[in-house]
Amino acid sequence: DGGITQSPKYLFRKEGQNVTLSCEQNLNHDAMYWYRQDPGQGLRLIYYSQIVNDFQKGDIAEGYSVSREKKESFPLTVTSAQKNPTAFYLCASSIGHQSSYEQYFGPGTRLTVT
Amino acid sequence: GESVGLHLPTLSVQEGDNSIINCAYSNSASDYFIWYKQESGKGPQFIIDIRSNMDKRQGQRVTVLLNKTVKHLSLQIAATQPGDSAVYFCAERNYGGATNKLIFGTGTLLAVQP
């Protein structure tokens, strides 16, 4: 099956700890994205990557970091500098050119920091 | 899973009725629009998309209408079923951007009454 996997589904951490969320895709997509979703709100873009070894900040990048060493993988690290890290995190990918702008989403990781 | 629609606009319909979900977009230069369905605790799923050179597109039980004059997008769902209950998001892509970034609306919760 082709798709995007995120793990784990639920993640619990203590305040002050960094945590890394996994995102893997086997769709051969060039572009990948990380979004944050809070209750009652839409999706806000954290980081995106259009190609391997390249990534750009989205609208709310502060307190987060990413890497894109492989086409298939785009892990997100939530650092202790992120003031309100508890949220639902969604990873997505897209072909990356104008033939299609559709983004395919993973199942999400719910992070709770106490 | 936790609901992501606690404070969202809500549309309540009876099973079998038609549903119309509306979305106002912000940028007159946007050239692509897409609707997603998100069930509680899951990632968004693609429903239908439309490019700015069209004003209507139909899928299975769904129709998207685009009115560029007033920057308005709507999603019509025919014969709404309980399984259609979810949060629905519209998103737009800004023409001229070097990326495939989508800008998401805040969403509408569709509640189907049996």
Side-chain angles (χ1 to χ4, degrees), chain A residues 35-45 59 90 105, chain B residues 4 7-9 21-26 30 32-38 44 73 87-93 101-109:
Chain A
Y35 293 91
R36 171 186 172 130
Q37 187 174 38
D38 295 284
Q41 297 192 30
L43 281 63
R44 293 187 290 169
L45 183 65
D59 302 318
L90 287 159
F105 284 85
Chain B
V4 297
H7 306 291
L8 293 171
I21 301 171
N22 297 305
C23 179
Y25 63 92
S26 57
S30 292
Y32 172 85
F33 306 87
I34 187 168
W35 281 98
Y36 284 95
K37 172 186 179 183
Q38 186 179 28
L73 193 67
V87 176
Y88 289 80
F89 292 98
C90 66
E92 62 186 292
R93 178 203 176 251
K101 286 196 300 181
L102 297 176
I103 300 170
F104 285 82
T106 53
T108 297
L109 175 62

Side-chain angles (χ1 to χ4, degrees), chain A residues 63-84:
Chain A
Y64 299 97
S65 65
V66 293
S67 62
R68 187 84 188 277
E69 297 176 2
K70 299 188 298 181
K71 188 175 186 177
E72 305 80 34
S73 179
F74 191 40
L76 172 75
T77 297
V78 184
T79 76
S80 57
Q82 168 49 234
K83 291 182 174 56
N84 296 297

Side-chain angles (χ1 to χ4, degrees), chain A residues 37 40 50 96 98 101-103, chain B residues 4 36 38 46 51 98 100:
Chain A
Q37 187 174 38
Q50 296 189 93
Q98 62 183 8
Y101 300 120
E102 179 187 348
Q103 293 184 13
Chain B
V4 297
Y36 284 95
Q38 186 179 28
F46 170 85
R51 292 185 184 256
N100 297 309

Side-chain angles (χ1 to χ4, degrees), chain B residues 55-98:
Chain B
D55 53 22
K56 180 179 179 178
R57 190 161 188 230
Q58 288 184 291
Q60 187 177 15
R61 271 202 316 120
V62 294
T63 301
V64 56
L65 298 176
L66 175 62
N67 185 330
K68 294 182 285 292
T69 303
V70 294
K71 293 188 289 185
H72 183 267
L73 193 67
S74 69
L75 176 70
Q76 300 178 0
I77 304 173
T80 313
Q81 302 167 1
D84 295 326
S85 293
V87 176
Y88 289 80
F89 292 98
C90 66
E92 62 186 292
R93 178 203 176 251
N94 288 339
Y95 175 76

